Amino acid sequence: MRTTFSSAVAESTQDYIQRGWTVAETANGVCLVTDENIAGIEVTGDTAAFVRRYLRANDLTGPVIEIPGAERREIHLVTGLRKAERAIEALRESGVVVYADGAGIPL
């Protein structure tokens, strides 16, 4: 059985593919697969503003996936990880969820 995705998901999936990013269809839907070039940084609540500024200051800004719910979540897609290992490690140390090294980011 093939899942039908909304036009917004289909459009974003095509956008990611055109950027050269890997997108996979799983039992839970479509996922963006992280690799040595792309990662996802998930934030909620008060940390979101801090992380946005941090990413901008470290030239890591990219598309943002907004996940609605009781507590709004954002997953910031970042590229150029090879030059930002310390920045990513600092985010991890501050408790931010980082999707990297083959982890799937649900779209």
Side-chain angles (χ1 to χ4, degrees):
M1 180 175 161
R2 182 147 173 81
T3 307
T4 304
F5 301 105
S6 71
S7 62
V9 171
E11 281 181 37
S12 65
T13 299
Q14 284 302 326
D15 184 43
Y16 300 139
I17 291 169
Q18 289 172 351
R19 291 174 187 262
W21 298 349
T22 303
V23 178
E25 187 173 348
T26 68
N28 296 323
V30 177
C31 288
L32 176 64
V33 180
T34 61
D35 58 24
E36 67 277 354
N37 295 312
I38 185 169
I41 298 170
E42 183 174 338
V43 292
T44 60
D46 296 335
T47 1
F50 163 77
V51 169
R52 273 188 235 114
R53 285 191 301 275
Y54 187 84
L55 293 173
R56 200 172 310 122
N58 285 281
D59 197 27
L60 294 170
T61 55
V64 177
I65 300 169
E66 295 180 10
I67 303 170
E71 182 175 38
R72 182 172 177 249
R73 294 179 2 217
E74 300 174 352
I75 300 176
H76 295 258
L77 303 179
V78 298
T79 59
L81 297 182
R82 286 181 219 154
K83 65 179 183 181
E85 289 179 30
R86 282 198 236 165
I88 297 297
E89 190 56 38
L91 287 168
R92 281 189 171 127
E93 288 173 5
S94 70
V96 172
V97 175
V98 177
Y99 297 92
D101 303 320
I105 301 171
L107 302 176

